[in-house]
Amino acid sequence: MVGGNIMRGLPDPFLREDGSLVKNASEWEAHREYIKSVLTEYLYGTMPDRPDNLASRLLWKKSIWDGEGVFERQRLSFGPENMIEIDVSVIRSARQGRAIPVILQGGFVREEIARTAVEEGFCVITFHVDQAAPDSPDYINAACSRAYPDHTWKVIAMWAWLQSRVIDWLENQDFADMEKIVAAGHSRYGKAALCCGIYDERVAVCVPAGSGCGGMGCLRNIGSRFGAGSGFVETMGSMTRDLPYWFADRMREYASGEACRLGREDELPFDSHFMAAAVAPRALLVLEGLDDMWTNPYGTQVSWLAAAQVYRFLERDASCAIRFREGGHEFNKEDWGVMTDFCKAVLLGTEKRTDYRTPSGLDPRIGREWDCPGKEPATLQMFFDRTIEGIRRKIEATDRWCFEGGE
């Protein structure tokens, strides 16, 4: 069991600074800028603007999969005196002359998974951060920190900013469909992918997987698949104690300093659902393992349900999805299959094939006292009506099938 208060009310993402509620989509756009400023101040720190001197150099290129694919490595350089360098791996179809959707993630991806994604019509790109922002206290001596010493960012924001620099490079690549950029990542890179999706409007789909605390894992409400308060769950206390170089220094004021105890998180003006909501109306897919207890599967569902209210408000229900699978902390072939299916559905209009979940008017209100403005809250009668309607449709479908000669 985790310590502290395990059921804390989530702040209302529709509530503006003056105490009024957002009323329409145009007001949401302005309010979203306010939410982004709050996240910058408390969680991510300040980040530099886009550099204007990006250069690339091809390190190598080879044919793979009996000539069906291309695998290449590029080195990008940018920033003051081009001191920041990152390597980018590109895996795509060998067929020329067509722009295709791009899945962009930090770290590495297994060849089997990459090949399946390419066969589904995507280009797969990974980028490698150790040169510019290593995952260690020594990040302060690495290129990102040295190039921009006046900014308050830490490594999660640095990785997100580097992900955006790869998108800069993609703007000049004929194979990339710039209307269909997917920012994905798992674990620490899932936290970074969410950050990238918040601040980079070129991201059409944001896919944080197993992102936990500082990602989709709720800061106030924590627990394993068995519910609130169960499991050994990652908290901001564990982040600021063991990995203080991941998030802005201000977060230390609100964390307990202990690995699995809550501190003053309920005093924060935001929670993880604000981060997901800041991506809206662009698409969001959350991927989780039910046995990945460290990353707060209970709190992730609480955050997603709350963020889904924003998508319902904007009438973009189909662009907000979550999917839990059996298993632990990995970004596996099953997850990628759901990701490519969701991306094709929202970007290309194909029919959904996998069992990811989108918001419903019957979703439970967990961890919050507010509802989506202009939408009727779910009631028991609505649940009964929806259930009876579903049964009626199944009966009609069965009768029609029998009448048409089904066996």
Side-chain angles (χ1 to χ4, degrees):
M1 291 284 285
V2 295
N5 185 351
I6 58 174
M7 280 298 294
R8 300 179 173 187
L10 298 178
D12 188 342
F14 300 103
L15 191 64
R16 297 188 292 194
E17 287 184 274
D18 63 5
S20 63
L21 290 176
V22 174
K23 299 183 182 65
N24 52 53
S26 61
E27 289 186 358
W28 171 255
E29 280 302 310
H31 185 57
R32 191 167 70 90
E33 292 304 312
Y34 164 71
I35 290 176
K36 288 162 63 177
S37 71
V38 169
L39 297 175
T40 298
E41 178 181 354
Y42 286 85
L43 185 65
Y44 295 123
T46 58
M47 290 178 270
D49 293 333
R50 172 179 177 169
D52 59 5
N53 63 335
L54 185 143
S56 64
R57 176 164 58 93
L58 178 65
L59 299 181
W60 49 259
K61 182 177 181 179
K62 63 182 180 180
S63 176
I64 55 175
W65 308 329
D66 296 325
E68 291 295 316
V70 173
F71 186 17
E72 66 182 87
R73 179 72 58 84
Q74 297 276 346
R75 178 160 295 168
L76 309 187
S77 59
F78 45 86
E81 300 179 0
N82 285 96
M83 71 169 63
I84 301 175
E85 290 187 339
I86 59 172
D87 285 354
V88 175
S89 298
V90 182
I91 306 174
R92 57 185 174 85
S93 170
R95 284 177 285 175
Q96 301 295 317
R98 65 191 188 109
I100 54 176
V102 175
I103 298 174
L104 169 60
Q105 73 155 54
F108 297 89
V109 61
R110 297 202 307 269
E111 181 182 359
E112 172 197 14
I113 291 175
R115 182 167 189 173
T116 300
V118 170
E119 290 171 349
E120 288 287 340
F122 293 85
C123 169
V124 176
I125 296 182
T126 61
F127 65 100
H128 313 288
V129 301
D130 287 346
Q131 301 149 287
D135 186 10
S136 78
D138 196 47
Y139 84 97
I140 198 69
N141 297 314
C144 281
S145 289
R146 290 188 291 107
Y148 299 102
D150 296 330
H151 288 274
T152 60
W153 57 346
K154 296 296 182 71
V155 294
I156 295 296
M158 290 177 182
W159 298 341
W161 186 81
L162 293 171
Q163 198 161 16
S164 286
R165 305 293 66 83
V166 182
I167 300 176
D168 296 347
W169 176 74
L170 284 172
E171 289 181 340
N172 295 314
Q173 307 307 309
D174 293 339
F175 64 80
D177 186 338
M178 293 305 297
E179 301 298 318
K180 299 178 178 63
I181 301 298
V182 181
H186 177 250
S187 194
R188 55 183 177 165
Y189 295 125
K191 305 177 202 292
L194 184 56
C195 179
C196 179
I198 291 168
Y199 293 97
D200 196 326
E201 302 291 330
R202 297 169 297 180
V203 173
V205 185
C206 183
V207 188
S211 56
C213 183
M216 282 301 300
C218 187
L219 298 174
R220 288 165 166 82
N221 300 294
I222 56 180
S224 72
R225 68 183 297 173
F226 302 109
S230 63
F232 190 79
V233 177
E234 178 185 63
T235 65
M236 192 52 69
S238 62
M239 296 289 94
T240 56
R241 186 194 69 174
D242 301 327
L243 299 162
Y245 50 88
W246 274 17
F247 294 107
D249 290 337
R250 187 156 189 195
M251 287 304 295
R252 299 182 193 180
E253 301 173 25
Y254 297 89
S256 69
E258 299 180 46
C260 277
R261 292 189 64 87
L262 295 178
R264 296 167 48 210
E265 286 88 348
D266 57 341
E267 298 176 26
L268 286 164
F270 74 96
D271 209 307
S272 299
H273 63 301
F274 274 44
M275 296 144 68
V279 176
R282 291 166 294 125
L284 173 77
L285 171 65
V286 178
L287 295 170
E288 299 291 330
L290 283 169
D291 292 318
D292 192 1
M293 292 191 289
W294 182 247
T295 59
N296 192 6
Y298 169 77
T300 297
Q301 183 165 220
V302 170
S303 294
W304 181 83
L305 286 167
Q309 296 300 307
V310 173
Y311 280 86
R312 292 194 67 224
F313 174 74
L314 298 173
E315 299 183 346
R316 296 297 301 271
D317 302 54
S319 294
C320 180
I322 190 169
R323 205 267 188 164
F324 282 92
R325 57 157 170 77
E326 293 291 338
H329 194 61
E330 59 180 339
F331 196 18
N332 62 23
K333 188 174 181 179
E334 182 179 347
D335 298 322
W336 273 72
V338 174
M339 176 170 63
T340 55
D341 181 40
F342 175 76
C343 290
K344 290 173 75 172
V346 298
L347 298 176
L348 304 175
T350 62
E351 185 176 348
K352 170 185 172 182
R353 295 177 302 165
T354 54
D355 60 347
Y356 61 81
R357 181 185 169 197
T358 54
S360 162
L362 300 179
D363 286 335
R365 183 199 291 172
I366 300 176
R368 58 184 172 87
E369 299 298 325
W370 46 268
D371 280 302
C372 172
K375 302 287 186 181
E376 183 181 357
T379 64
L380 190 59
Q381 186 61 51
M382 290 171 60
F383 175 78
F384 285 144
D385 291 346
R386 184 75 62 85
T387 302
I388 291 171
E389 175 66 14
I391 293 173
R392 183 185 65 78
R393 290 181 179 179
K394 286 183 179 180
I395 291 173
E396 287 182 352
T398 302
D399 289 344
R400 183 169 57 252
W401 178 71
C402 292
F403 179 77
E404 292 173 354
E407 297 180 358

